[in-house]
Amino acid sequence: MPVVVPAATATSDGTRKRGERQGFRPDIQGLRAIAVAMVVIYHLYPSVLPGGFAGVDVFFVISGYLITGQLRRGYAQGKVGLAEFWGRRARRLIPAAALVLTVTWIAARIIEPPTLFANTAQQILASALYYQNWQLSSDAVNYFKSGNAATPVQHFWSLSVEEQFYIVWPLLFLLAALLSAMFATRGTGPARRARTRGAAVGVLTAALVIASLAYSIHETNANAPAAYFMTATRMWELGAGGILALAPARLTRTLARQGWLGWSGLAVVIASAFLLTASSAFPGALALLPVLGAVALIAGGSAEGRGGPSRLTSARLMVFIGGISYSLYLWHYPLINLYTDWQGRAPGPLSGPVILAVTVLLAWLTKTFVEDKVRLAPFIARHRWRSLAMALTAVVPVALAAVYISGEPAPWNGTLGPHYPGAAALTGAVTNVPVAPILKPPDPISQTLDQTGGCLDDFGASTPTECVFGDTARPVLTVALVGDSAAGQWFDSLNAIAVHRHWKLVTELHSSCPWSSTLVLNWNGIGDLTACQTWGAVVLHGLITTIRPDVVITTDYPSLLSTPDHPVNASQAAMAEIGAGMAQYWTRLENAGISVTPIKESPDLDEDVPTCVEQHSTDLAQCDVPVSAAILRDSPVTDAAKLMNGKVTVVNANSLICGPKVCAPVVGNVLVFGDRHHLTGPYSKSTAPFLEPLLLKASKTLAAKL
């Protein structure tokens, strides 16, 4: 994200570098222009610039360099000035951001399908309060949200990282001052005290950079989707720019004369835009590419660099784009995202340049009439507390989003009623379906589609969360529901059966994790999901030693599964390998006297069903998917059952979900799917009277307890 601060580059001894006026470095504006161009082109045409997202990392380095330099100059005079520092940030950044968030929310309510409103409102709120990166990091490990469509404000995650940096970084200088004062000896002169303070802040910065980089590498390997947005995995990038700003003046003057260093940095930054891809394990160690490139370009790219790139980066057009880069970054993604929602397709070769032109115009208007007007207004700028008060402009988008969120309906109350037969319409139990509005589960902000009371473990969890439902007082038997979210979708149905049959229902569920001894890859193909394998082994041990259920019911979602030996998602080889791992667990259970009743994998409609229903509300047949395309013939469950040599019977409940030829989005006035493959809670419950006999027929243990 472009930070808008004065590009002050005075050296520590107070002199100005040649070719710069009043501390202004036009080459840094040019670097901003390169960074924002990378990001915009990537969002417009990702195949043209597959690593353009690295422009954000370049912005991080620039921000760290400029902010640290600014703090260093005050620190050298014995002051940090928190209120003044934060006030400047507030009046420069928040008004423009609040304007864009407000306009975007209004436009989204007009253009977006209603199914996207809740997620957009949640992210508007997170963006306005600058915790968007943590919201996205949390969503990335929440299986029901990890596949959410990108909202028009998703790019605000980088603004959140920088705002958090602005809060933390001055405190680092205060800590350094405190430590140097604690260890100072009596009689120490001002010059030595200044050197001690400088050394302290340098050591703290270096330590933070090293720790953050190490954590970034570790977390990216362990959980790349979440690591991408974390402050802790990104702080080192801003700190890298900070280290350059804290470097001794003699060193920085020497580097500034090395024009080749600037060209090298520019080459590395540009190369990162082509070498990196969306599937790269990023940030981690790969982020060193754009970060070190940006550091080198700042160090050797000024007008002092002999034969360096400053003539290019200081060109008038580059300086202009760099000057509006903050507003350009704010506006570009909402325009691209909302255009895509409006047209139903990504920008093409003609619409892309038009979007770009509109973005530049809006950015210039915002820079001229919002950023500069507020930043330079004497009434505000001359008073630190009035500057801080500019943060209150964020109240507008916060209020708009909060009003929508507070009006969200309560969770589904579990009642279907006579107008909502659901699965009964497929079984023939109901022949005349009354006319009624479609029953959809509400989409409250604080919950997912899962109805198991928060019992679905996240991606990185290796310790099971055991939850107990049904008849817990005097159960006639214990049933365990084990598997991933595809197993969890049967909870509402099984819980209804458990209450009726007086079963104790225990759930052991894990996002994107088939219950198999086979090691699987992360859903995005980056790294092994070792937590899943560990979780599965712990679950097996618990089932055999402590829970001791009479029956284990299990299933999975195979469409995102791959293994280290077979990395292609949902390949027959990968599914067979996972099925073999399932059979190992099932065999262990059977040998321990615990019977297994697997449910065949449910349909996958390969589209977001609620959105399709909203878009084709007058012709729902547009959302039908042929059974042959939605249901796998061979799958991990069927492969595992074959290896069991008749010891288990697979329950095929797909006739309760789809008709003979097509899978419809709405059955018996009830929305069937909450996304592309998870059953909604209401529909799952509607299958209970018909799933029950299928389970009893397949399991002698269950039938024996009638």
Side-chain angles (χ1 to χ4, degrees), residues 457 460-466 480 482-483 506-510 513-518 529-549 552 585 588-589 594:
D457 291 322
S462 57
T463 303
T465 300
E466 177 187 322
V482 181
V506 180
T507 64
E508 301 270 20
L509 304 170
H510 191 296
C513 178
W515 193 49
S516 168
S517 63
T518 302
L529 193 55
T530 54
C532 174
Q533 191 177 43
T534 302
W535 174 88
V538 176
V539 167
L540 177 66
H541 179 76
L543 290 172
I544 294 174
T545 60
T546 58
I547 301 175
R548 297 294 303 172
V552 169
Y585 281 167
R588 293 277 303 277
L589 290 176
I594 301 170

Side-chain angles (χ1 to χ4, degrees), residues 233-256:
T233 62
R234 296 288 189 164
M235 189 67 74
W236 70 272
E237 301 181 26
L238 295 117
I243 287 177
L244 179 61
L246 293 171
R250 181 179 299 178
L251 175 60
T252 57
R253 285 196 295 267
T254 300
L255 293 176

Side-chain angles (χ1 to χ4, degrees), residues 327-340:
S327 291
L328 193 62
Y329 184 85
L330 290 176
W331 282 112
H332 85 282
Y333 195 70
L335 291 176
I336 295 171
N337 183 277
L338 292 172
Y339 173 87
T340 302

Side-chain angles (χ1 to χ4, degrees), residues 91-117:
R91 73 172 186 265
R92 297 192 68 109
L93 302 177
I94 295 179
L99 171 67
V100 173
L101 289 173
T102 301
V103 173
T104 299
W105 175 238
I106 295 171
R109 292 299 303 270
I110 298 171
I111 296 172
E112 284 188 341
T115 51
L116 301 182
F117 288 169

Side-chain angles (χ1 to χ4, degrees), residues 63-73 165 169 173 242 245-246:
S63 297
Y65 173 74
L66 296 174
I67 291 299
T68 304
Q70 185 182 64
L71 289 169
R72 179 186 182 179
R73 287 186 288 277
F165 169 77
W169 214 239
F173 280 79
L246 293 171

Side-chain angles (χ1 to χ4, degrees), residues 252-499:
T252 57
R253 285 196 295 267
T254 300
L255 293 176
R257 292 192 290 269
Q258 311 304 312
W260 63 269
L261 185 62
W263 282 115
S264 299
L266 179 60
V268 171
V269 168
I270 299 300
S272 67
F274 293 95
L275 296 177
L276 298 172
T277 67
S279 62
S280 300
F282 201 85
L286 288 179
L288 286 166
L289 194 65
V291 168
L292 294 182
V295 170
L297 185 50
I298 294 173
S302 70
E304 286 192 40
R306 299 169 184 171
S310 65
R311 189 180 296 271
L312 170 65
T313 54
S314 301
R316 182 173 297 179
L317 178 61
M318 299 287 279
V319 173
F320 169 75
I321 296 174
I324 64 170
S325 59
Y326 175 57
S327 291
L328 193 62
Y329 184 85
L330 290 176
W331 282 112
H332 85 282
Y333 195 70
L335 291 176
I336 295 171
N337 183 277
L338 292 172
Y339 173 87
T340 302
D341 285 340
W342 174 45
Q343 291 293 312
R345 62 178 184 275
L350 296 179
S351 56
V354 173
I355 292 173
L356 180 58
V358 173
T359 301
V360 171
L361 176 61
L362 288 174
W364 176 77
L365 291 172
T366 305
K367 172 71 164 59
T368 303
F369 296 104
V370 179
E371 286 188 56
D372 289 348
K373 290 293 185 183
V374 174
R375 176 174 61 89
L376 301 175
F379 177 76
I380 300 172
R382 291 175 183 172
H383 198 290
R384 68 185 67 175
W385 295 109
R386 289 172 188 160
S387 293
L388 277 171
M390 294 311 300
L392 295 177
T393 57
V395 168
V396 177
V398 166
L400 291 174
V403 166
Y404 177 85
I405 291 171
S406 64
E408 278 289 278
W412 175 55
N413 63 9
T415 303
L416 289 170
H419 288 81
Y420 298 98
L426 281 178
T427 65
V430 172
T431 55
N432 294 316
V433 178
V435 176
I438 298 172
L439 177 63
K440 309 170 190 176
D443 188 21
I445 295 297
S446 60
Q447 297 189 10
T448 69
L449 297 174
D450 183 68
Q451 299 294 315
T452 59
C455 300
L456 180 69
D457 291 322
D458 286 334
F459 287 116
S462 57
T463 303
T465 300
E466 177 187 322
C467 295
V468 181
F469 303 92
D471 188 339
T472 59
R474 295 181 179 179
V476 297
L477 54 75
T478 299
V479 175
L481 176 62
V482 181
D484 57 14
S485 59
Q489 72 180 342
W490 291 108
F491 167 78
D492 288 278
S493 181
L494 289 173
N495 191 44
I497 298 170
V499 171

